[in-house]
Every structure is written in C-alpha cells, then in structure tokens.
C-alpha cells in the first residue's frame, strides 16, 4: 500500500481542464482527472505555507490556536506503522518545518539560481525535480509514502520557448523570453498586452508541468508498485494572472484565484474515477484521508478534518457548510455552498467582496452592496467558526441559514 501526494505551489483550479479551463493544453492532467475523483471546491485555509502545512501534516486548521506539542504528525504516524516516508521539495520554507524530522528521508532540491528559459525540456528545473521523484520510486522496495511539494510555478518560468509559442497568436506582442516570475499590481488603465505576456509564459509552464506529470503517470502505469499507489494531486496556493488587477503573489488578497486549488484523488483500483463532488474541502482533510487509507485510526482529535475517501461511493455526502480562510494579515474569508466572502483588510480590498457560487466562478461580480444581509450573516458565521476553533471543536457549530447554503431565491 503506497501513496504519493504531489503538491504544486502557485497553481489554482482555473488552470486545469477538469475545472473548466479550455485554453491551456494539458492532456496528461486531463487523463489523470478522468481516472480520479475530482473535488470541485477545495480551498486552502491560508496562503501562509507554515500555517497551511500545519493543516496538511497535523490536520490542524490554520485559524486554530497553537498546535499542542504532543499532537502527532502525518509522517510520524506512517513511519510508526512501517511505511517508508520521504519528503521531496525545492521550497526552503517547507523543508524548514520542524516536523520534517519525522520523515525517514528528505530530498531537499536546491531552488533555481538562474532565471533563464531552458533550451530543452530536460534542462528545466521542474523536469529535474520529477526525475528525482521517479528515481526514488524506482529504488524503493517497501510500502511508501511520498510527499512532493514543488515551488516551480511560483519561482521560475523556464519552460522552453516552444511551450510558450503554443499560446501565441498572430497579432500578439512578441513573446517574453524571460524566466523571472512577476509579482505586481496592475494599474487600472494597464495595457491588456502586459497581462497577456504573463499569461502566455505561465501557460507554457503549466504545459511543462503536464508533460512532467505525464512521465510520472507513465512510470506508475508500468511499475508493479504503481498498481498499489494512491495518487493525490493538488495545489498549495493559486497564481493570479491579472484577475482583480493582481499578478503573482502580490498582496495575497483572498480571491479564489489564490485560494481555490485543484484536488484530484486517484485510487489504485480507480474507484470513483470520473466522478466529482461539489462539497467544500479544506487542507486538513488530506490528513484524515491519508491516515484512513493506511488503516490508521484517528489517534488525536482535530478540529475540522474529514476523510475524503468516504465521498467516493456517495459524492453528495454533506461534509461541512463552510470553509474559512486566514490571510497573511488581518484579512479572512469564508466560503459556503452558495457564497464566497473576502473581508476588507490591508490587502487592498476597500470593502467586503461577495460572490455568488457556483455561478460566478471567476468572481467578476461583487454583489456585497446589493446583499448586505448576506455579508452580515457570513461575517457572523466566520466569527462563530473562529470562536469554535478556539474552544477546540467545530462539531457543534449552529447550522447556516438556507440563504447561506442555497443562495437567494
């Protein structure tokens, strides 16, 4: 029994065909989506990697109080069961987490130092990372667990130029040949061609990711261990490409292009393949899901974590009525089945931003001024959640109103 959790930083759900993207060519990822159970509304609980990984590896929500010192880690629990655990990452923030010592092995890949476009696919940083993952998989002989966090989409755009040219059309400005990743707020009167150049470069990088994932899938399909391997693919944070005038990490405003990430789960027997759930999912759920997969009973209470494998047979099982997000500063956000609200803060939002879900997928229409009662109710629901976390459990939260669950009639 094996599992691989592949976490791609700076990759949101809007850049994958399974979530409605039609302009980035990702045949390998599309094939994986057809073999997987797809979670439509997976939201991170914080854009801070430190707090996000507390959720991933401890099942402890980013808004919850300090983690108890005796609370076990995912890697520690798996190691105690005899599972060989390895962390593969090119992100120093992830590699520096104290709990990393619970992994049997850490493959700490040097981050890129030269920000230039590669001439060949094999020279790209992302391809070299996947090579190390595949080489490790070729050598392992016992049940294993691989957590692979790759920061490439947010640190270096080095895909060869032919990957970018696929997204260039006659009449477009000349393609950028730079590898640096932008991080800026566009002016209100910015030239649309400025964002287009970033979009083409990023799309080329996602196509590179698709090629690399295709190589991993080909290996797993041909390896005996691959027939016994759970594969989880997700993103840790999204990458705005001009939505709400933001490009890159910028001010980390909690719009969905930052917090809504893909989440695909491919089981060894392909149970749940091509099915999907609209239920709200958060990072701590991976903790409960992976423990359940390896047959480990819950040894420590967690405030919010839910086993996602329970959805494979009953996709419409109701998990939770809200997901709450903590920003880098004082900003918070809350998502329900019918709404998404980002509160004002120093991030640059001048007023609450409210969007109807799932209709306004790309959050174009801020309806906060037209639905002040919904804003107030969501703010109350966010406060209730925060208070419940501080008390140690969210199990007894009062249910949300029909308006928050189903929208306005």
């Amino acid at each position: 029994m094996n599992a691989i959790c592949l976490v791609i930083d700076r990759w949101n759900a809007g850049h994958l065909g399974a979530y409605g993207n039609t302009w980035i060519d990702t045949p390998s990822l599309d094939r994986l989506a057809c073999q997987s159970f797809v979670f439509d509304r997976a939201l991170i609980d914080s854009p801070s990697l430190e707090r996000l990984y507390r959720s991933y590896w401890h099942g402890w929500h980013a808004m919850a109080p300090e983690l108890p010192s005796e609370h076990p880690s995912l890697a520690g629990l798996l190691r105690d069961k005899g599972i060989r655990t390895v962390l593969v990452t090119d992100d120093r923030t992830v590699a520096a987490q104290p709990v990393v010592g619970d992994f049997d092995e850490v493959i700490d890949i040097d981050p890129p130092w030269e920000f230039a476009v590669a001439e060949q696919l094999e020279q790209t940083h992302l391809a070299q990372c996947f090579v190390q993952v595949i080489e490790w998989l070729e050598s392992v002989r016992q049940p294993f667990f691989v957590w692979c966090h790759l920061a490439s989409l947010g640190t270096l755009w080095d895909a060869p130029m032919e990957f970018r040219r696929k997204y260039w059309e006659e009449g477009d400005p000349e393609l950028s040949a730079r590898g640096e990743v932008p991080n800026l707020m566009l002016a209100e009167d910015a030239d649309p061609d400025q964002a287009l150049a970033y979009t083409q470069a990023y799309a080329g990088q996602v196509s590179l990711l698709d090629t690399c994932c295709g190589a991993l899938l080909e290996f797993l399909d041909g390896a005996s261990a691959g027939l016994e391997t759970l594969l989880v693919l997700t993103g840790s944070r999204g990458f705005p490409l001009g939505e709400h005038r933001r490009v890159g990490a910028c001010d980390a405003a909690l719009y969905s292009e930052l917090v809504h990430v893909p989440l695909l789960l491919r089981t060894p027997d392909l149970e749940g393949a091509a099915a999907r759930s609209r239920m709200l999912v958060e990072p701590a759920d991976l903790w409960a899901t992976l423990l359940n997969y390896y047959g480990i009973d819950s040894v420590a209470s967690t405030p919010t974590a839910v086993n996602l494998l329970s959805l494979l047979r009953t996709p419409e099982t109701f998990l939770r009525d809200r997901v709450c997000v903590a920003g880098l500063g004082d900003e918070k956000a809350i998502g329900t089945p019918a709404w998404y609200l980002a509160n004002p803060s120093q991030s640059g939002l001048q007023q609450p931003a409210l969007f109807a879900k799932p209709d306004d997928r790309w959050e174009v229409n801020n309806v906060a001024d037209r639905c002040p009662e919904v804003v107030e109710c969501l703010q109350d629901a966010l406060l209730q959640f925060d208070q419940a976390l501080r008390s140690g459990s969210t199990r007894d939260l009062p249910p949300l109103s029909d308006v928050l669950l189903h929208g306005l009639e």
Side-chain angles (χ1 to χ4, degrees), residues 3 28 39 51 87 106 121 139 147 199 205 230 244 249 255-256 276 284 308 313 327 334-335 369 376 380 399 409:
S28 296
F39 296 90
R51 285 190 282 177
L87 169 65
V106 177
L121 184 153
S139 66
W147 188 285
T199 298
Q205 204 67 22
L230 172 74
H244 305 102
Y255 291 111
S256 286
R276 57 201 309 144
L308 299 179
R313 294 186 179 90
I334 179 171
D369 288 344
E376 183 177 355
D380 289 343
E409 295 295 337

Side-chain angles (χ1 to χ4, degrees), residues 262-308:
L263 178 57
L264 311 179
L265 192 154
R266 188 181 81 166
T267 63
D269 60 1
L270 301 186
E271 182 180 11
R276 57 201 309 144
S277 172
R278 295 173 294 177
M279 295 300 107
L280 292 163
V281 174
E282 62 186 35
D285 296 338
L286 283 183
W287 149 275
T289 301
L290 290 165
L291 290 181
N292 180 270
Y293 172 74
Y294 280 104
I296 300 176
D297 293 331
S298 179
V299 296
S301 61
T302 56
T304 63
V306 174
N307 168 29
L308 299 179

